[in-house]
Amino acid sequence: MPQPSSNDKLPVVNSVVEMLQDNSSSGLYFADGRRKVDYVLVYYCRRRSSFHGSPLQHRLSIISNGSFHIPVSLPCDPQRRSSEPEVVDLGPADPADGEKVLIREEFEASLVEAGLEIERDKEKSYGQNFVRLHAPWPVLCREAEILKVKVPTKKSYELKREKGLSGTMNAFWRKLNEPFQPKVPQPHDQGHVKYLSHCFSRDKLHLYNIKHKDTFFDNTTRSRIVYEILRRTSCTRSCQTMGISTLIAKGVYTSAFPLHDGDYKTSGDGPRNDRQILHDEWARYGAFYKYQPIDLIRKYFGEKIGLYFAWLGVYTQLLIPASVVGIIVFFYGCATVDTNVPSMEMCDERQNFTMCPLCDRSCDYWDLSTACSTARASHLFDNPATVFFAIFMSLWAAMFLEHWKRRQISLNYSWDLTGMDEEEEHPRPKYETLLLQKRKKKMRNKKKSKNESDKGLEEGPDVGKGKWRQRLLSAVSGMLPPGHEKLTWRDRMPGYIINISSILFMFGVTFSAVFGVIIYRITISALMAMSPDPDLKSNVRVTVTATAVIINLVVILILDEIYGSVAVWLTELEIPKTETDFEERLILKAFLLKFMNAYAPIFYVAFFKGRFAGRPGDYVYVFNDYRMEECAPGGCLIELCIQLSIIMLGKQLIQNNIFEIGIPKLKKLYRSLKDKGSPKEETNELPHRWHLDYKLEPFQGLTPEYMEMIIQFGFVSLFVASFPLAPLFALLNNVIEIRLDAKKFITELRRPDAVRTKDIGIWYNILSGMGKFSVIINAFVISFTSDFIPRLVYLYMYSETGTMHGFIDHTLSYFNVSNFKPGTAPTALEDPEVIVCRYKDYREPPWSPQAYQFSKQYWSVLAARLAFVILFQNLVMFLSMLVDWVIPDVPKDISEQLKREKTMLVDVFLREEKDKIQLIQNLFLRDPLGRNQGQAPPNGQEQKPANAGPRTRSRAASFSQFSRQPSPGHTVKHTEV
């Protein structure tokens, strides 16, 4: 390994004394106060007292490999004395720690070779040690060109301003929105002037708007460049590995992260940094009414996080019209409840509908009028306006996706993401490890087969010819590139088998939990019905429903946490190659498991409860003792509404808010208590920015944030026909969620690595699929769960007066109490003269020749329900496609500006080419000796005309600066910008 020169030695500085000399650094710069800390690496040294064994034995075993020289001193040694060369550090006693030291030496030396500058404090005998990295200007230019970072050029143009009525309306709208805009410093000409952007190139520095080299690349871009170097730097001698992520997985480093831009608390009257601006204008709960500073979020955290908050903002804004319509539908139900004929008939005690018992033996006959409150409450959510709201929400989902596509393209344009190519990703650490193991195993097998072949050839007749042939084949096989092998489907097959079986098992666990709650409802209903307390018997349905939903909520919250961990474990078994592949597989598994977990109880109530309960005299039993439960007299829609509202509000309140606030606080408290309990080394150092940021929680990705919003989107869109107030509760939750996430990112988490991306990835496909699935679900909820279709069928086919009068009597069938099976009839009859009782179904009466068979009304209603499902789906799908066709994905003004910018860039480069040609022509015209014809000047000196003055260097001649391979004997002078 090439050793670094004396100028590249890793400096050891007393950062406390020198840092205090420059108060402006604030822990964001090296000790000289000029070079920024672009990235921080952290590693841990253990106490020497905890080591066992002979340190001499370990160090000698390392040196015997012959790969590294014996350094005078190594990190993690409390007795470093460079002034005493006779004292040789024997290194840590643990072989694993010694190996980590060697890996760190090689890795950091490779970083110095790559051009990074490194600074570290005096090594501690134990505890955390910090390595700070800085990327100088030549490295930034080189990497920005490799990564194709788009930067603003000097060329600008004025944006077209709207005039006339539209301009006046836009100005008026901006004036109204001014109190809701965050107070973020903006350039004076922003909004009116647009600078052209182009991929950075070192040959075109004169084209870019470079005011100062230290500020031309912002902190996010600088940290992204350093992270790219860290990710591709390899350690080939000490270990076969590549990248900082693999080293963190191996425990060589404990963490690596960029620094925040100072403290988030504003102090004094000086200018605020980006973190303070985001905290004051975005992360405070008092700023809940303001728009999000999306551009500043993208500048500080990168495009991936910026797109998440932009998507969350668009989703929250579009929940406002959905909430307004939902409130109108709810108030319509409240206003018409007193004039609703079916609920009035159910509440009319003069109708005297004697209903069949709700359970065997213990339950008595009951009057339908006792369910008056349930019928009135059901009308609030089961009315004609509900159908309109279901259609509206299906179109709303399509509008939301179309609006987000336009917003995403607008952000791609303003953030210079148009035309961005997908960056090649490095393999994940586990993939590299398994690939290395496979490679080693293959080499061992080859060596073993070679030895066996040599042994067999020695015994054969043609020994010499066989030996040379074997050596030739071995040499050819050794010339294969080290990355030639790859993991095949055979390597992944065990993981796939475990994945499929585990997911099916998790589905079984979910269904078992739902079935357990069903058994709970059945048994508790039977036990409460047997109670002699009349008050307890009268509140059976309310008590059982409320407690069952709470149990469902608790089970969902517990299984959600389990399924999240299981999804990570199952994805690891598949051995994805890249982080993107890993993230997509993880998202699909987690979404599938959490979707089933959250919606399985709701699906049961919506489509299965009461469908298979049977009829009086022929009920369906569970365990031969407990009768399957039936829907309430007002229908299952009111129970679906209760189930949906409690689960939705419970998940939002407990999981999304309390967990997000409480768990980070508990972790922070635990770390503080752990730090107090651990022995501290005596030091006078003040905590710097890297110490403070290291105490924050590491960023774990956006998957949990997206997941909770996607599940909420399902509550809003899938079963919205049963709960019109769902968009309102989602809106209130998201207003808090945005500020909660913002506060977490600003104050509780380390600064994440900036990731460039053009879209939200696989989440858009999930949203699109759920939007289409919601059309089917809402169609079936309206058709089969609510009474909307039976009422229409009665009104237009069976009503004698053309009104809804007589609807309740039409939906109730007759049962002769003498047909009860032995042991199932009520034992304590309040009215022994009851001959027939009523139950809700479309069946023939007992005096009919086809007693208790489905009547023709049943088949009419079923046909109408199926026809409505088909009509509803086709209508909504057609309207959704119409919305997709009418609204273009790319806004017209952006498409025009893209064309205009492309033309202007072509003009800029053509003008530059013209200047270059003109410069060459001038050089030839000023050469009187005709060197262009191959004649050399005499004495090797260049001749000038007598009257020629000093030649001025044209700007186009600076193309060769920062050349990567200067010619021998020539020095490259870096041009100051």
Side-chain angles (χ1 to χ4, degrees), residues 320 366 465-466 580 615 672 750 765 812 851 892 921 947:
I320 296 176
W366 56 284
K465 183 179 178 181
T580 301
R615 60 170 180 82
S672 62
R750 297 175 192 165
N765 298 330
L812 298 178
K892 185 178 179 181
Q921 292 177 351
N947 57 351

Side-chain angles (χ1 to χ4, degrees), residues 223-414:
S223 64
R224 188 165 71 90
I225 288 174
V226 176
Y227 177 71
E228 182 63 27
I229 298 175
L230 292 172
R231 194 172 64 170
R232 69 168 184 252
T233 302
S234 60
C235 298
T236 56
R237 296 194 178 187
S238 56
C239 65
Q240 294 293 330
T241 185
M242 174 177 286
I244 185 63
S245 58
T246 308
L247 297 182
I248 292 177
K250 290 177 176 291
V252 178
Y253 292 97
T254 56
S255 61
F257 54 89
L259 294 179
H260 280 290
D261 290 352
D263 194 8
Y264 64 87
K265 297 180 180 178
T266 306
S267 59
D269 299 330
R272 297 181 296 174
N273 58 44
D274 290 343
R275 191 184 185 192
Q276 292 171 346
I277 295 174
L278 287 173
H279 178 264
D280 295 341
E281 302 297 329
W282 179 50
R284 291 189 307 109
Y285 293 109
F288 73 93
Y289 62 92
K290 293 185 177 181
Y291 291 101
Q292 298 184 90
I294 294 298
D295 292 332
L296 186 58
I297 296 171
R298 170 254 179 180
K299 176 186 174 184
Y300 193 81
F301 292 110
E303 285 77 9
K304 188 172 185 178
I305 296 177
L307 282 175
Y308 163 71
F309 282 104
W311 173 83
L312 184 56
V314 170
Y315 172 49
T316 304
Q317 288 179 4
L318 288 183
L319 280 174
I320 296 176
S323 303
V324 172
V325 177
I327 293 173
I328 294 174
V329 171
F330 178 74
F331 281 129
Y332 171 81
C334 295
T336 58
V337 67
D338 292 330
T339 59
N340 182 45
V341 176
S343 60
M344 292 172 58
E345 289 184 347
M346 288 187 65
C347 296
D348 189 1
E349 297 181 359
R350 296 172 297 178
Q351 296 283 351
N352 193 22
F353 293 120
T354 302
M355 306 298 294
C356 296
L358 297 176
C359 64
D360 294 340
R361 295 184 298 275
S362 303
C363 298
D364 299 330
Y365 302 104
W366 56 284
D367 293 334
L368 185 61
S369 59
T370 57
C372 177
S373 58
T374 305
R376 292 173 63 87
S378 179
H379 178 73
L380 301 179
F381 307 100
D382 188 5
N383 54 68
T386 305
V387 181
F388 162 77
F389 189 60
I391 298 175
F392 171 81
M393 288 303 297
S394 299
L395 296 178
W396 173 87
M399 289 284 294
F400 164 60
L401 294 176
E402 291 300 318
H403 183 64
W404 167 244
K405 281 196 293 187
R406 290 171 60 86
R407 174 65 170 159
Q408 186 172 261
I409 291 175
S410 300
L411 292 176
N412 287 339
Y413 168 73
S414 60

Side-chain angles (χ1 to χ4, degrees), residues 245-246 425-435 486-489 491-493 495-496 499 567-589:
S245 58
T246 308
E425 292 190 70
H426 297 290
R428 298 181 66 249
K430 187 173 182 179
Y431 182 89
E432 279 191 329
T433 303
L434 293 176
L435 194 63
K486 63 180 181 179
L487 299 182
T488 61
W489 65 270
D491 301 315
R492 294 185 169 94
M493 182 57 67
Y496 290 151
N499 263 264
V568 175
W569 175 67
L570 293 178
T571 310
E572 290 285 358
L573 293 178
E574 292 186 357
I575 323 174
K577 184 176 181 180
T578 62
E579 287 294 338
T580 301
D581 192 15
F582 176 85
E583 185 178 11
E584 289 183 354
R585 293 169 183 257
L586 173 62
I587 289 171
L588 284 176
K589 290 181 184 61

Side-chain angles (χ1 to χ4, degrees), residues 315 319 393 396 648 712-720 726-727 730:
Y315 172 49
L319 280 174
M393 288 303 297
W396 173 87
M648 178 182 176
Q712 183 202 84
F713 179 79
F715 286 124
V716 170
S717 59
L718 291 179
F719 297 95
V720 74

